[in-house]
Amino acid sequence: MEAHEKGFFTEENSVEVVTGRNRNAKNERLKQIMEVVTRKLHEAVKEIEPTQEEWMDAILFLTRTGQMCNEWRQEFILLSDTLGVSMLVDAINNRKPSGASESTVLGPFHVKDAPELEMGANICLDQKGEDMVISGRILDTDGKPIEGAVLDVWQANDEGFYDVQQLGIQPAFNLRGVFRTVGDGRFWFRAVKPKYYPIPNDGPVGQMLEHLGRHPYRPAHLHYIIKAEGFETLITHIFDPDDPYIYSDAVFGVKESLLAEFKHTHDPARAMDYGFKTDFWDVEHDFVLARVAERSS
Ligand code: BEZ
Ligand code: FE
């Protein structure tokens, strides 16, 4: 009888021995996942040949990552984001039919129960920043407007902070709002131009980025969750293409189709209509939702 048949572990048969030990797993999906993870992990260890110290460093890094997590902070999601895994899982689970708007990461700063506002409302509650008007249509893949679509929007302020990061400094629900379309599928609201910001980088993931010579910044963006009956929910952003970090998003969330045009606008009559003092940013971007049955495999 060969050593691996008796179940003894060797460098050569490590994958078969561990996978064989899992053969009675009750859940077939779990068994399949562990087979792949074991194979890839052992392959990585065999290629890297870590020293005992290096392996302990890796274990301590993951330990610190777990210790950093609490009710508000999910360091493992940041790790997944910065390794590109969040965007990969997002891409696999959101393959869209042609013409439908693309998705991107949700991020940690979404807040449930943001107020539903009248179309045109100003979501900036502290008058800080450069005025901006955002408009567009919610369409189906045939180009028809969707009535009753609900847009949940949130963004950082002109200094790169979300309201929840500055409790007591920004008003609650600053730069957040929920809007509902009518028959023409149109939406519009007022806000301020967002700024780039660092992902939370005072923990092990921030240290990892520093060791890798990477910055922690996300280019300026607005977040959207768009829901409508009979359509796939769309979790996405629009980005400012002129942002200095547009080609190096720390979490790989930028897609070409999500670049919007941020037009600097001098139009005193329109500014007056919107209640803006002077020049403003004009952003127009449509979203196309996929019908539930339209999802491409
Ligand atoms: C965000 O855009 O809010 C975000 C996404 C991933 C990690 C951190 C922040
Ligand atoms: Fe964000």
Side-chain angles (χ1 to χ4, degrees), residues 156-162 165 193-199 215-221 239-240 242-246 248-249:
N157 71 3
D158 68 320
E159 292 177 343
F161 292 104
Y162 289 89
Q165 296 176 292
K193 190 164 188 271
K195 194 180 174 193
Y196 59 79
Y197 63 82
I199 63 167
H215 68 71
Y217 291 97
R218 297 216 65 209
H221 56 270
F239 291 92
D240 175 1
D242 297 323
D243 188 279
Y245 297 106
I246 199 69
S248 62
D249 183 2

Coordinates of all heavy atoms in Angstrom, one line a residue, residues 156-162 165 193-199 215-221 239-240 242-246 248-249:
A156 N -20.0 61.1 -0.9 CA -19.1 61.8 0.1 C -19.2 63.3 -0.2 O -19.7 63.7 -1.3 CB -17.7 61.3 -0.1
N157 N -18.8 64.1 0.8 CA -18.9 65.5 0.6 C -17.7 66.1 -0.1 O -16.9 65.3 -0.7 CB -19.2 66.2 1.9 CG -18.0 66.2 2.9 OD1 -16.9 65.7 2.5 ND2 -18.1 66.7 4.1
D158 N -17.6 67.4 -0.2 CA -16.5 68.0 -0.9 C -15.1 67.8 -0.3 O -14.1 68.2 -0.8 CB -16.8 69.5 -1.2 CG -16.7 70.3 0.1 OD1 -17.2 69.8 1.2 OD2 -16.2 71.4 0.1
E159 N -15.1 67.2 0.9 CA -13.8 66.9 1.6 C -13.5 65.4 1.6 O -12.6 65.0 2.2 CB -13.8 67.5 3.0 CG -13.9 69.0 3.1 CD -14.0 69.5 4.5 OE1 -14.3 68.7 5.4 OE2 -13.7 70.7 4.7
G160 N -14.4 64.7 1.0 CA -14.2 63.2 0.9 C -14.7 62.4 2.1 O -14.2 61.3 2.3
F161 N -15.7 63.0 2.8 CA -16.2 62.2 4.0 C -17.7 62.0 3.8 O -18.5 62.9 3.4 CB -16.0 63.0 5.3 CG -14.6 63.1 5.7 CD1 -13.9 64.3 5.5 CD2 -13.9 62.1 6.3 CE1 -12.6 64.5 5.9 CE2 -12.6 62.2 6.6 CZ -11.9 63.4 6.4
Y162 N -18.2 60.8 4.2 CA -19.6 60.5 4.3 C -20.1 61.0 5.6 O -19.3 61.1 6.6 CB -19.8 59.0 4.2 CG -19.6 58.4 2.8 CD1 -18.3 58.0 2.4 CD2 -20.6 58.4 1.9 CE1 -18.1 57.5 1.1 CE2 -20.4 57.9 0.6 CZ -19.1 57.5 0.2 OH -18.9 57.1 -1.1
Q165 N -19.2 59.2 8.7 CA -17.8 59.3 9.2 C -17.6 60.6 10.0 O -16.5 60.8 10.6 CB -16.8 59.3 8.0 CG -16.8 58.0 7.2 CD -15.9 58.2 6.0 OE1 -16.2 58.9 5.1 NE2 -14.8 57.4 6.0
K193 N -20.4 68.7 -5.6 CA -19.4 67.8 -6.3 C -18.7 67.0 -5.3 O -18.1 67.5 -4.3 CB -18.4 68.7 -7.1 CG -17.6 67.9 -8.0 CD -16.9 68.8 -9.1 CE -16.2 68.1 -10.1 NZ -14.8 67.8 -9.7
P194 N -18.7 65.6 -5.4 CA -18.0 64.8 -4.4 C -16.5 64.9 -4.6 O -16.0 65.3 -5.7 CB -18.5 63.4 -4.6 CG -18.9 63.4 -6.1 CD -19.3 64.8 -6.4
K195 N -15.7 64.5 -3.6 CA -14.2 64.4 -3.8 C -13.7 63.0 -3.6 O -14.4 62.2 -2.9 CB -13.6 65.4 -2.7 CG -12.2 65.7 -3.0 CD -11.6 66.6 -1.9 CE -10.1 66.8 -2.1 NZ -9.5 67.3 -1.0
Y196 N -12.5 62.7 -4.1 CA -11.9 61.4 -3.8 C -11.7 61.3 -2.4 O -11.6 62.3 -1.6 CB -10.6 61.3 -4.6 CG -9.6 62.4 -4.3 CD1 -8.8 62.3 -3.2 CD2 -9.4 63.5 -5.2 CE1 -7.9 63.3 -2.9 CE2 -8.5 64.4 -4.9 CZ -7.7 64.3 -3.7 OH -6.8 65.3 -3.4
Y197 N -11.5 60.1 -1.9 CA -11.3 59.8 -0.5 C -10.6 58.5 -0.3 O -10.6 57.6 -1.1 CB -12.6 59.9 0.3 CG -13.6 58.8 0.0 CD1 -13.4 57.5 0.5 CD2 -14.6 59.0 -0.9 CE1 -14.3 56.5 0.1 CE2 -15.5 58.0 -1.3 CZ -15.3 56.7 -0.8 OH -16.2 55.7 -1.1
P198 N -9.9 58.4 0.9 CA -9.2 57.1 1.1 C -10.2 56.1 1.7 O -11.1 56.5 2.5 CB -8.1 57.5 2.2 CG -8.7 58.6 2.9 CD -9.6 59.4 1.9
I199 N -10.1 54.8 1.4 CA -10.9 53.8 2.1 C -10.3 53.8 3.5 O -9.1 54.2 3.7 CB -10.8 52.4 1.4 CG1 -9.3 51.9 1.4 CG2 -11.4 52.5 0.0 CD1 -9.3 50.4 1.0
H215 N -1.7 53.5 -3.1 CA -2.4 54.5 -2.3 C -3.8 53.9 -1.9 O -4.3 53.0 -2.6 CB -2.5 55.8 -3.1 CG -3.4 55.6 -4.3 ND1 -4.8 55.5 -4.2 CD2 -3.1 55.6 -5.6 CE1 -5.3 55.4 -5.4 NE2 -4.3 55.4 -6.3
P216 N -4.5 54.5 -1.0 CA -5.8 54.0 -0.5 C -7.0 54.7 -1.1 O -8.1 54.5 -0.7 CB -5.8 54.2 1.0 CG -5.0 55.5 1.1 CD -4.0 55.5 0.0
Y217 N -6.8 55.5 -2.2 CA -7.9 56.4 -2.6 C -8.9 55.8 -3.6 O -8.5 55.0 -4.5 CB -7.3 57.7 -3.2 CG -6.6 58.5 -2.2 CD1 -5.3 58.5 -2.0 CD2 -7.4 59.3 -1.4 CE1 -4.7 59.2 -1.0 CE2 -6.8 60.1 -0.3 CZ -5.4 60.0 -0.2 OH -4.8 60.7 0.8
R218 N -10.1 56.3 -3.5 CA -11.2 56.0 -4.5 C -11.4 57.3 -5.2 O -11.6 58.3 -4.6 CB -12.5 55.5 -3.8 CG -12.3 54.2 -3.0 CD -13.6 53.4 -3.1 NE -13.8 53.0 -4.5 CZ -15.0 52.8 -5.1 NH1 -16.1 53.0 -4.4 NH2 -15.1 52.5 -6.4
P219 N -11.6 57.2 -6.5 CA -11.9 58.5 -7.3 C -13.3 58.9 -6.9 O -14.2 58.1 -6.5 CB -11.8 58.1 -8.7 CG -12.0 56.6 -8.7 CD -11.4 56.1 -7.4
A220 N -13.6 60.2 -7.1 CA -14.9 60.8 -6.7 C -16.0 60.1 -7.4 O -15.9 59.8 -8.6 CB -14.9 62.3 -7.1
H221 N -17.1 59.8 -6.7 CA -18.2 59.1 -7.3 C -19.5 59.3 -6.5 O -19.5 59.8 -5.4 CB -17.9 57.6 -7.3 CG -17.6 57.0 -5.9 ND1 -16.3 57.0 -5.4 CD2 -18.4 56.5 -4.9 CE1 -16.3 56.5 -4.2 NE2 -17.6 56.2 -3.8
F239 N -18.8 57.9 -11.9 CA -17.5 58.5 -11.5 C -17.2 59.8 -12.3 O -17.6 59.9 -13.5 CB -16.3 57.5 -11.9 CG -16.3 56.2 -11.0 CD1 -17.0 55.1 -11.4 CD2 -15.6 56.2 -9.8 CE1 -17.0 53.9 -10.7 CE2 -15.6 55.1 -9.1 CZ -16.3 53.9 -9.5
D240 N -16.3 60.6 -11.7 CA -15.8 61.8 -12.3 C -14.6 61.4 -13.1 O -13.5 61.0 -12.5 CB -15.5 62.8 -11.3 CG -14.8 64.1 -11.9 OD1 -14.6 64.1 -13.1 OD2 -14.5 65.0 -11.1
D242 N -12.4 63.0 -14.6 CA -11.2 63.9 -14.4 C -10.5 63.8 -13.1 O -9.6 64.5 -12.7 CB -11.6 65.4 -14.6 CG -12.1 65.6 -16.0 OD1 -11.6 65.0 -17.0 OD2 -13.1 66.4 -16.2
D243 N -11.0 62.8 -12.3 CA -10.4 62.7 -10.9 C -9.0 62.1 -11.0 O -8.7 61.3 -11.9 CB -11.3 61.7 -10.1 CG -10.9 61.6 -8.7 OD1 -9.9 60.9 -8.4 OD2 -11.5 62.2 -7.9
P244 N -8.1 62.6 -10.2 CA -6.7 62.1 -10.3 C -6.6 60.6 -10.0 O -5.5 60.0 -10.4 CB -6.0 62.9 -9.2 CG -7.0 63.5 -8.3 CD -8.3 63.6 -9.1
Y245 N -7.5 60.0 -9.4 CA -7.4 58.5 -9.1 C -8.3 57.6 -10.0 O -8.5 56.5 -9.7 CB -7.7 58.3 -7.6 CG -6.8 59.0 -6.7 CD1 -7.2 60.1 -6.0 CD2 -5.5 58.5 -6.5 CE1 -6.3 60.8 -5.2 CE2 -4.6 59.2 -5.7 CZ -5.0 60.3 -5.0 OH -4.1 60.9 -4.2
I246 N -8.7 58.2 -11.1 CA -9.7 57.5 -11.9 C -9.1 56.2 -12.5 O -9.9 55.2 -12.7 CB -10.3 58.4 -13.0 CG1 -11.6 57.8 -13.5 CG2 -9.3 58.6 -14.2 CD1 -12.8 57.8 -12.6
S248 N -6.7 54.4 -10.9 CA -6.1 53.6 -9.9 C -6.9 53.4 -8.6 O -6.4 53.4 -7.5 CB -4.7 54.3 -9.5 OG -5.0 55.6 -9.0
D249 N -8.2 53.3 -8.8 CA -9.2 53.1 -7.7 C -8.6 52.0 -6.8 O -8.3 50.9 -7.3 CB -10.5 52.7 -8.3 CG -11.6 52.5 -7.3 OD1 -11.3 52.7 -6.1 OD2 -12.7 52.1 -7.7

